[in-house]
Amino acid sequence: MPGTSVYNPLHPDTLANPYPLYADLREQTPIFWHEQSNSWALTRYRECREVLRDNETFARDRRRVGVEVPEFLQNIQTLDPPALTPLKTVLSDALRSQDLDAMGQRARRSIERLFLALAGRERFDWIHEVAAPVALSVTSELFGVEKPAQDLYVPLSDSIARRMDVGLDPGRAASGDEAKNQLNKLVEQWYAAADRPGVLSVIRRTGGKAGVPEHYIRNTTGVMFNASYGTLFATISNVALALVQHPEALEAIRRRGNEKLLETAVDELIRFEGPAQGTSRVAVRPTTIAGQPIERGDVVLALVASANRDPREFERPEELVLDRAPNRHLAFGWGLHGCLGAVFGRIAVREIIYCLAEAPDLWLAGTPKRRTTATVRSLDLLPLTFRQPG
């Protein structure tokens, strides 16, 4: 079928820069069967958004098409209404109860101290010295849990991210499953510990009153903690590299010096180089997408990173337009299963950009190395310096 042999998400060229390939696919094969992932892949904005918001036709809960999934494994990412509704309400209320702006201010002070310590270094690795500790600290504070040791949690989360690509590389299953077991053990430790202010304390207190099964809460705690950490880790990494490669963007934020530009810049950088490459749904009834018949049980993969560069939706999509508005990107999903932590994520990324704008220029101090993951676009190595080379 068209496109099957062309799209290899783990090919080094695709990992380095998938956007030229996405552009070709959008024009030549906007929907194609992808053998490796056993799914129909969508590359254009309109079709991707329609699939994400049409929960009546496209499900997250695969039990709706007869797939057997144990009840005790269910969490917010695998449920659809009506089971999803009370769980989502509890989580949304818990997030709204947090003082996210105050968390953002504390994150800003922490990042400023971190930058000050790195300022005199000839070279440092942004990934392990900035992205990982910042993402882990702010996520732990949000949830109100003791921060896991970085040398424990970073490889754990990395294995879970690689496990998402098991259809492309079956050899990733064992290490990914072991990482999930380790995450479950962390959740048990958090449940056994005394309550601390944060999301976990709120959902433990309110979940039972709302009739949410406790295993939903426990499973979702691990899933959301890792999703928050992993998304922030990847986004902080990608945004830093994008700003190093586009110094005029950071200079514009400095020069304008206004909060409005900073706010729109956050969403634009996430659209331009967000971590989420794709998300899948399963068709619960026969339908048609862009003229292609889709059967009940077919998996549909919305390549949101391609959709976010679709010129049918975004003018000059290959450029960073910091004041782009509106900016209806799909980096946080869309519709019923849109990212609940999007507001928190935007605040954390805003603080990174703010601190970079206040600091001396960043410069590459070596060659970046992309992480070999297809579902989540991130970096393994980003050598930087605040000192101008030469």
Side-chain angles (χ1 to χ4, degrees):
M1 295 184 182
T4 301
S5 61
V6 175
Y7 180 56
N8 180 358
L10 295 178
H11 190 280
D13 291 343
T14 307
L15 291 171
N17 183 9
Y19 302 108
L21 175 57
Y22 288 155
D24 288 342
L25 291 171
R26 282 194 304 269
E27 299 310 314
Q28 299 172 17
T29 51
I31 178 169
F32 61 91
W33 178 255
H34 188 243
E35 193 69 41
Q36 286 179 288
S37 60
N38 195 33
S39 63
W40 291 103
L42 311 179
T43 59
R44 290 181 179 172
Y45 181 90
R46 179 180 177 182
E47 287 81 14
C48 287
R49 190 177 67 176
E50 286 304 308
V51 164
L52 296 184
R53 71 181 182 182
D54 184 1
N55 186 66
E56 294 299 317
T57 305
F58 301 100
R60 287 295 291 264
D61 190 341
R62 301 200 177 195
R63 294 176 299 181
R64 292 172 61 188
V65 294
V67 176
E68 292 187 9
V69 181
E71 167 64 20
F72 71 88
L73 294 178
Q74 299 300 321
N75 62 72
I76 193 168
Q77 292 184 345
T78 62
L79 292 168
D80 284 332
L84 174 66
T85 305
L87 174 60
K88 187 175 179 180
T89 299
V90 166
L91 291 167
S92 298
D93 290 346
L95 286 165
R96 281 194 294 268
S97 73
Q98 307 304 303
D99 190 343
L100 299 183
D101 286 329
M103 287 185 191
Q105 290 300 313
R106 288 192 289 273
R108 178 179 296 187
R109 293 191 290 270
S110 176
I111 295 164
E112 288 172 339
R113 290 193 295 270
L114 188 56
F115 283 6
L116 187 63
L118 295 171
R121 298 262 298 274
E122 291 186 3
R123 172 188 170 117
F124 62 89
D125 178 18
W126 176 273
I127 304 306
H128 293 94
E129 297 185 74
V130 178
V134 169
L136 197 53
S137 293
V138 298
T139 298
S140 298
E141 181 182 359
L142 175 67
F143 277 79
V145 300
E146 182 178 356
K147 183 174 70 173
Q150 184 173 320
D151 60 356
L152 164 72
Y153 200 81
V154 171
L156 181 158
S157 185
D158 177 65
S159 293
I160 292 174
R162 294 176 189 276
R163 177 68 171 79
M164 296 178 189
D165 301 329
V166 70
L168 305 173
D169 182 0
R172 301 183 178 197
S175 59
D177 290 341
E178 175 56 30
K180 288 182 179 180
N181 289 335
Q182 293 179 47
L183 179 59
N184 290 338
K185 291 177 182 177
L186 271 177
V187 172
E188 293 305 315
Q189 292 174 22
W190 295 337
Y191 263 76
D195 266 355
R196 298 165 61 165
V199 166
L200 179 57
S201 175
V202 176
I203 61 177
R204 289 178 65 181
R205 185 173 66 251
T206 61
K209 297 177 183 177
V212 178
E214 186 176 345
H215 61 275
Y216 285 7
I217 298 290
R218 288 177 180 264
N219 294 345
T220 297
T221 297
V223 165
M224 285 192 65
F225 184 95
N226 189 62
S228 173
Y229 164 80
T231 300
L232 282 178
F233 169 84
T235 304
I236 291 169
S237 304
N238 292 343
V239 163
L241 180 56
L243 289 173
V244 169
Q245 293 173 332
H246 298 81
E248 72 284 355
L250 197 55
E251 183 56 36
I253 295 172
R254 288 193 186 113
R255 187 172 61 249
R256 295 274 290 276
N258 65 67
E259 289 293 318
K260 184 177 180 180
L261 182 63
L262 182 58
E263 295 295 336
T264 56
V266 169
D267 265 302
E268 175 64 354
L269 281 157
I270 292 171
R271 177 201 70 84
F272 185 77
E273 189 67 286
Q277 296 299 286
T279 184
S280 63
R281 301 288 190 270
V282 60
V284 300
R285 58 192 180 202
T287 187
T288 301
I289 302 176
Q292 174 62 53
I294 306 294
E295 300 299 325
R296 171 180 163 83
D298 283 357
V299 176
V300 177
L301 173 63
L303 290 171
V304 295
S306 174
N308 286 341
R309 298 274 187 118
D310 190 341
R312 297 162 188 80
E313 174 65 21
F314 303 98
E315 185 178 354
R316 294 183 290 152
E318 303 299 330
E319 298 178 29
L320 267 175
V321 182
L322 296 183
D323 58 355
R324 188 185 297 276
N327 193 344
R328 295 181 287 262
H329 64 76
L330 305 179
F332 291 121
W334 196 273
L336 186 66
H337 286 282
C339 177
L340 287 178
V343 172
F344 171 70
R346 287 185 175 97
I347 289 173
V349 174
R350 180 190 70 194
E351 298 310 325
I352 283 283
I353 298 171
Y354 174 88
C355 291
L356 284 173
E358 293 293 306
D361 284 339
L362 271 181
W363 304 85
L364 279 175
T367 304
K369 180 182 177 183
R370 279 286 169 192
R371 179 168 288 184
T372 53
T373 50
T375 304
V376 178
R377 179 167 172 77
S378 187
L379 289 142
D380 267 336
L381 177 67
L382 182 55
L384 297 176
T385 180
F386 284 111
R387 295 181 174 184
Q388 184 170 355

